[in-house]
Each structure stands twice: as structure tokens, then as C-alpha cells.
Amino acid sequence: MNHRFSNTLIGLLNLLTLLASIPIIAAGLKMAKNRTTCESFLQTPLMVIGFIILVISLAGFIGACFNVAWALWVYLFVMLLLTATLLAFTIFGFVVISEGGGVQVSGRVYKEYRLQDYSPWLRKRVEDPHYWRTIRTCILGSNTCAKLASWTPLDYLQKDLTPVQSGCCKPPTSCNYGAATMLAQDPDCYRWNNMPNLLCYECNSCKAGVLEDVRSNWHKLSVLNVVMVILLICIYSIGCCAYKNAKRSETDYPYGENRMKRVEPRWDFYWRRWWRDRRDFLY
């Protein structure tokens, strides 16, 4: 690849990613000042990603524009690690989200969700009491269920619900609360409470609804990750060309190494020179 083109292109790409890292870091700092529990989940990952992009882009920009070989070497090394990590994370994500999905309820538009349908790794996250308390606080703070307070029974027949609303804001549709009911029911039917701060927040259906929401968002993120991996591989290839160009520029010769190496004289050089000097002196 042409010397100027590869260096200019890698410099431009890193300038764009450098500028893109600024709003990411700003968003993380803003979340740090916000007391909303939901946003605090993204605070640390956003700031870490922002700073990594900032450092990598800065190294790549300096190395490409000023032909600093060591900066480009650091850039390429970190880029390789970042690409490998992102690829592993993407594969893991597709494996985790391969299980799950809702069950259509007869006569209703919305679906209901069962915790046992999701991968063990995801179930372990929401079954942890400490982790679930944080999520529960997040749902309460978002007023997700408050939006359904004015719904009529007809609305539940005609309108759709989000996974969280379906699992956390109402009991399972199969529940029967008649006085004469003697049949065994879903355990979530007994966890339901009409109190606005209780509802079905301790139900397995609520945890399943949260996992379905996570699964949906993770699927979108995994598709984006595939695009990012391809883009990073392309940028890495251009960066390799820029690194080779930076190494060449250190020799002040655009087509490769052109410095003469030191030549050591043969063993008889000094003897012959001494004999010539003596002969000239005598004659």
C-alpha cells in the first residue's frame, strides 16, 4: 500500500475514533453523578471503553502522522488484543442468547416468559439476591408498572406488553384467584401482591422478563460486534502498512533499509599497510 495513503488513512480513522471517545467518556461521567440505579450499570463499562478507545486512537494518530514506529507498535498490539477480546465476547454472547424467548398466551397479544427457558449463566445472574435487589430497584425507579395502572381488562386483551411489564407488573395469566380454587398453580401466583411496590417483582416470571429484555439487547449488540470486528481487522491491516512505512522512514529511504554496515578489514590489511609505509620510507 502507498506510503502516504496508508498513513493518512490510518491517521484519519484514528482521529475520528479519538473524537468519538469524548462523548462516550462524557456519558460515563454524567452517569456517575446520576443516582438512578439503572444507569449506574453502564457507567463503568462506558468509561473503560471510552478511555481505551482514547488511548488507542491517540497512539495510532501520533504514530501514523508523525511516523513514530513505537507508538504504532503499541497501537497494533492493543488493537490485536481488543479484536481478539471482542471476537471472544461476541461468540460467547451468541451462545448465551441462543436460549430463551416468550410463550404466546391464548387470546392475548403479549407473551409470557419462563425462567427455565434461559441459559444457566443468565439465570445465575438474576437468581443472585444481591444482583436482583439492584435490578428490582431499577425497575421500581423506572415506573414501568405505573404505566399500566389505568389499564382496563379490555386493554390487557388488546394491547401488547414489554417482557418486563408482562413478567413483573401482573400475575401469570393462568392464575385463578377464585375462592373455590383447589388446583395447584404456578408458584408465581402466590408471590403476586397488589401493593405497587411489591406486585410480581419477586416472581420467576419477572426475572425471565428481565432476561428476555437483556437477550434482545444483547442480540443487537452481538450483531454490532460482528461489524466492529470486521472493521477492526481492516483498520489493523492498514495499521500494519503504516507501521512498516514508519520503520522505513527511520532510514530516510522510502524503499527499505539502505544503511551501509561497518566492514571489518581482513587480517592482512594492517600488515600490508605497515610494509608499504616502511618501503616508502626506505626508498
Side-chain angles (χ1 to χ4, degrees), residues 127-148:
E127 287 174 346
D128 178 27
H130 174 73
Y131 191 78
W132 181 248
R133 279 195 300 270
T134 307
I135 298 176
R136 186 179 184 277
T137 303
C138 173
I139 299 173
L140 281 169
S142 66
N143 294 319
T144 300
C145 293
K147 301 173 184 177
L148 307 182

mmCIF file of all heavy atoms in Angstrom, residues 127-148:
data_model
loop_
_atom_site.group_PDB
_atom_site.id
_atom_site.type_symbol
_atom_site.label_atom_id
_atom_site.label_comp_id
_atom_site.label_asym_id
_atom_site.label_seq_id
_atom_site.Cartn_x
_atom_site.Cartn_y
_atom_site.Cartn_z
ATOM 1 N N GLU A 127 -30.691 -14.852 39.736
ATOM 2 C CA GLU A 127 -31.041 -15.587 40.952
ATOM 3 C C GLU A 127 -30.173 -15.184 42.135
ATOM 4 O O GLU A 127 -30.475 -15.555 43.274
ATOM 5 C CB GLU A 127 -30.930 -17.092 40.696
ATOM 6 C CG GLU A 127 -32.056 -17.635 39.810
ATOM 7 C CD GLU A 127 -31.862 -19.090 39.435
ATOM 8 O OE1 GLU A 127 -30.717 -19.600 39.634
ATOM 9 O OE2 GLU A 127 -32.816 -19.712 38.937
ATOM 10 N N ASP A 128 -29.130 -14.433 41.870
ATOM 11 C CA ASP A 128 -28.295 -13.901 42.945
ATOM 12 C C ASP A 128 -29.068 -12.791 43.663
ATOM 13 O O ASP A 128 -29.436 -11.784 43.039
ATOM 14 C CB ASP A 128 -26.986 -13.350 42.369
ATOM 15 C CG ASP A 128 -26.098 -12.751 43.447
ATOM 16 O OD1 ASP A 128 -26.194 -13.180 44.608
ATOM 17 O OD2 ASP A 128 -25.313 -11.833 43.123
ATOM 18 N N PRO A 129 -29.359 -12.934 44.992
ATOM 19 C CA PRO A 129 -30.196 -11.948 45.707
ATOM 20 C C PRO A 129 -29.661 -10.525 45.617
ATOM 21 O O PRO A 129 -30.437 -9.570 45.434
ATOM 22 C CB PRO A 129 -30.177 -12.465 47.150
ATOM 23 C CG PRO A 129 -29.885 -13.920 47.036
ATOM 24 C CD PRO A 129 -28.969 -14.058 45.862
ATOM 25 N N HIS A 130 -28.362 -10.362 45.764
ATOM 26 C CA HIS A 130 -27.791 -9.008 45.723
ATOM 27 C C HIS A 130 -27.994 -8.376 44.351
ATOM 28 O O HIS A 130 -28.389 -7.205 44.234
ATOM 29 C CB HIS A 130 -26.297 -9.063 46.062
ATOM 30 C CG HIS A 130 -25.596 -7.755 45.917
ATOM 31 N ND1 HIS A 130 -25.774 -6.720 46.815
ATOM 32 C CD2 HIS A 130 -24.726 -7.287 44.964
ATOM 33 C CE1 HIS A 130 -25.041 -5.682 46.437
ATOM 34 N NE2 HIS A 130 -24.400 -5.998 45.312
ATOM 35 N N TYR A 131 -27.740 -9.159 43.316
ATOM 36 C CA TYR A 131 -27.900 -8.661 41.953
ATOM 37 C C TYR A 131 -29.354 -8.340 41.662
ATOM 38 O O TYR A 131 -29.674 -7.314 41.052
ATOM 39 C CB TYR A 131 -27.363 -9.702 40.978
ATOM 40 C CG TYR A 131 -27.221 -9.220 39.560
ATOM 41 C CD1 TYR A 131 -26.148 -8.421 39.184
ATOM 42 C CD2 TYR A 131 -28.149 -9.586 38.586
ATOM 43 C CE1 TYR A 131 -26.010 -7.978 37.872
ATOM 44 C CE2 TYR A 131 -28.020 -9.156 37.277
ATOM 45 C CZ TYR A 131 -26.946 -8.345 36.929
ATOM 46 O OH TYR A 131 -26.823 -7.904 35.641
ATOM 47 N N TRP A 132 -30.261 -9.209 42.127
ATOM 48 C CA TRP A 132 -31.682 -8.994 41.849
ATOM 49 C C TRP A 132 -32.226 -7.778 42.601
ATOM 50 O O TRP A 132 -33.089 -7.064 42.083
ATOM 51 C CB TRP A 132 -32.497 -10.233 42.194
ATOM 52 C CG TRP A 132 -33.951 -10.019 41.889
ATOM 53 C CD1 TRP A 132 -34.979 -9.917 42.771
ATOM 54 C CD2 TRP A 132 -34.517 -9.853 40.583
ATOM 55 N NE1 TRP A 132 -36.157 -9.693 42.112
ATOM 56 C CE2 TRP A 132 -35.901 -9.644 40.762
ATOM 57 C CE3 TRP A 132 -33.991 -9.855 39.295
ATOM 58 C CZ2 TRP A 132 -36.769 -9.444 39.693
ATOM 59 C CZ3 TRP A 132 -34.848 -9.642 38.223
ATOM 60 C CH2 TRP A 132 -36.220 -9.449 38.429
ATOM 61 N N ARG A 133 -31.753 -7.517 43.792
ATOM 62 C CA ARG A 133 -32.203 -6.319 44.517
ATOM 63 C C ARG A 133 -31.878 -5.055 43.728
ATOM 64 O O ARG A 133 -32.671 -4.110 43.684
ATOM 65 C CB ARG A 133 -31.554 -6.254 45.911
ATOM 66 C CG ARG A 133 -32.232 -7.109 46.965
ATOM 67 C CD ARG A 133 -31.786 -6.726 48.364
ATOM 68 N NE ARG A 133 -30.348 -6.873 48.549
ATOM 69 C CZ ARG A 133 -29.762 -7.975 48.981
ATOM 70 N NH1 ARG A 133 -30.502 -9.051 49.256
ATOM 71 N NH2 ARG A 133 -28.447 -8.044 49.126
ATOM 72 N N THR A 134 -30.717 -5.042 43.095
ATOM 73 C CA THR A 134 -30.324 -3.887 42.296
ATOM 74 C C THR A 134 -31.236 -3.732 41.086
ATOM 75 O O THR A 134 -31.679 -2.622 40.764
ATOM 76 C CB THR A 134 -28.862 -4.034 41.837
ATOM 77 O OG1 THR A 134 -28.036 -4.279 42.964
ATOM 78 C CG2 THR A 134 -28.376 -2.782 41.134
ATOM 79 N N ILE A 135 -31.542 -4.847 40.416
ATOM 80 C CA ILE A 135 -32.429 -4.805 39.253
ATOM 81 C C ILE A 135 -33.840 -4.387 39.670
ATOM 82 O O ILE A 135 -34.501 -3.588 38.993
ATOM 83 C CB ILE A 135 -32.468 -6.171 38.552
ATOM 84 C CG1 ILE A 135 -31.082 -6.546 38.041
ATOM 85 C CG2 ILE A 135 -33.468 -6.163 37.402
ATOM 86 C CD1 ILE A 135 -31.005 -7.913 37.412
ATOM 87 N N ARG A 136 -34.304 -4.913 40.797
ATOM 88 C CA ARG A 136 -35.647 -4.585 41.294
ATOM 89 C C ARG A 136 -35.770 -3.090 41.561
ATOM 90 O O ARG A 136 -36.779 -2.462 41.231
ATOM 91 C CB ARG A 136 -35.901 -5.396 42.566
ATOM 92 C CG ARG A 136 -37.306 -5.284 43.124
ATOM 93 C CD ARG A 136 -37.436 -6.163 44.362
ATOM 94 N NE ARG A 136 -38.784 -6.166 44.879
ATOM 95 C CZ ARG A 136 -39.265 -5.228 45.689
ATOM 96 N NH1 ARG A 136 -38.494 -4.214 46.080
ATOM 97 N NH2 ARG A 136 -40.515 -5.305 46.119
ATOM 98 N N THR A 137 -34.735 -2.526 42.177
ATOM 99 C CA THR A 137 -34.731 -1.088 42.441
ATOM 100 C C THR A 137 -34.779 -0.307 41.134
ATOM 101 O O THR A 137 -35.430 0.733 41.012
ATOM 102 C CB THR A 137 -33.469 -0.697 43.235
ATOM 103 O OG1 THR A 137 -33.429 -1.459 44.444
ATOM 104 C CG2 THR A 137 -33.471 0.784 43.569
ATOM 105 N N CYS A 138 -34.073 -0.827 40.144
ATOM 106 C CA CYS A 138 -34.052 -0.187 38.830
ATOM 107 C C CYS A 138 -35.446 -0.176 38.210
ATOM 108 O O CYS A 138 -35.892 0.847 37.682
ATOM 109 C CB CYS A 138 -33.076 -0.934 37.930
ATOM 110 S SG CYS A 138 -33.086 -0.394 36.214
ATOM 111 N N ILE A 139 -36.161 -1.304 38.273
ATOM 112 C CA ILE A 139 -37.500 -1.389 37.683
ATOM 113 C C ILE A 139 -38.469 -0.456 38.412
ATOM 114 O O ILE A 139 -39.279 0.244 37.794
ATOM 115 C CB ILE A 139 -38.012 -2.837 37.720
ATOM 116 C CG1 ILE A 139 -37.084 -3.756 36.923
ATOM 117 C CG2 ILE A 139 -39.427 -2.922 37.155
ATOM 118 C CD1 ILE A 139 -37.410 -5.228 37.051
ATOM 119 N N LEU A 140 -38.365 -0.428 39.736
ATOM 120 C CA LEU A 140 -39.224 0.467 40.517
ATOM 121 C C LEU A 140 -38.965 1.932 40.160
ATOM 122 O O LEU A 140 -39.892 2.734 40.025
ATOM 123 C CB LEU A 140 -38.991 0.239 42.016
ATOM 124 C CG LEU A 140 -39.680 -0.971 42.643
ATOM 125 C CD1 LEU A 140 -39.158 -1.221 44.053
ATOM 126 C CD2 LEU A 140 -41.189 -0.756 42.677
ATOM 127 N N GLY A 141 -37.695 2.274 40.007
ATOM 128 C CA GLY A 141 -37.345 3.660 39.683
ATOM 129 C C GLY A 141 -37.773 4.073 38.291
ATOM 130 O O GLY A 141 -37.970 5.260 38.023
ATOM 131 N N SER A 142 -37.923 3.121 37.379
ATOM 132 C CA SER A 142 -38.301 3.442 36.004
ATOM 133 C C SER A 142 -39.802 3.617 35.813
ATOM 134 O O SER A 142 -40.246 4.023 34.734
ATOM 135 C CB SER A 142 -37.812 2.334 35.073
ATOM 136 O OG SER A 142 -38.491 1.116 35.351
ATOM 137 N N ASN A 143 -40.599 3.293 36.857
ATOM 138 C CA ASN A 143 -42.063 3.430 36.796
ATOM 139 C C ASN A 143 -42.662 2.633 35.632
ATOM 140 O O ASN A 143 -43.646 3.043 35.018
ATOM 141 C CB ASN A 143 -42.476 4.908 36.677
ATOM 142 C CG ASN A 143 -42.130 5.703 37.911
ATOM 143 O OD1 ASN A 143 -42.291 5.229 39.040
ATOM 144 N ND2 ASN A 143 -41.641 6.928 37.725
ATOM 145 N N THR A 144 -42.043 1.492 35.336
ATOM 146 C CA THR A 144 -42.532 0.661 34.231
ATOM 147 C C THR A 144 -43.950 0.168 34.475
ATOM 148 O O THR A 144 -44.791 0.185 33.571
ATOM 149 C CB THR A 144 -41.588 -0.543 34.035
ATOM 150 O OG1 THR A 144 -40.283 -0.071 33.728
ATOM 151 C CG2 THR A 144 -42.075 -1.436 32.898
ATOM 152 N N CYS A 145 -44.226 -0.262 35.695
ATOM 153 C CA CYS A 145 -45.549 -0.813 36.001
ATOM 154 C C CYS A 145 -46.594 0.271 36.250
ATOM 155 O O CYS A 145 -47.800 0.020 36.102
ATOM 156 C CB CYS A 145 -45.464 -1.731 37.222
ATOM 157 S SG CYS A 145 -44.502 -3.242 36.922
ATOM 158 N N ALA A 146 -46.143 1.469 36.605
ATOM 159 C CA ALA A 146 -47.092 2.552 36.869
ATOM 160 C C ALA A 146 -47.866 2.919 35.608
ATOM 161 O O ALA A 146 -48.999 3.421 35.675
ATOM 162 C CB ALA A 146 -46.352 3.770 37.406
ATOM 163 N N LYS A 147 -47.280 2.643 34.451
ATOM 164 C CA LYS A 147 -47.943 2.969 33.184
ATOM 165 C C LYS A 147 -49.166 2.084 32.938
ATOM 166 O O LYS A 147 -50.016 2.416 32.108
ATOM 167 C CB LYS A 147 -46.953 2.797 32.036
ATOM 168 C CG LYS A 147 -45.714 3.689 32.163
ATOM 169 C CD LYS A 147 -44.681 3.363 31.101
ATOM 170 C CE LYS A 147 -43.416 4.193 31.295
ATOM 171 N NZ LYS A 147 -42.346 3.862 30.312
ATOM 172 N N LEU A 148 -49.251 0.949 33.647
ATOM 173 C CA LEU A 148 -50.367 0.030 33.441
ATOM 174 C C LEU A 148 -51.474 0.213 34.478
ATOM 175 O O LEU A 148 -52.478 -0.514 34.442
ATOM 176 C CB LEU A 148 -49.871 -1.424 33.507
ATOM 177 C CG LEU A 148 -48.692 -1.799 32.596
ATOM 178 C CD1 LEU A 148 -48.372 -3.272 32.755
ATOM 179 C CD2 LEU A 148 -48.982 -1.472 31.150
#
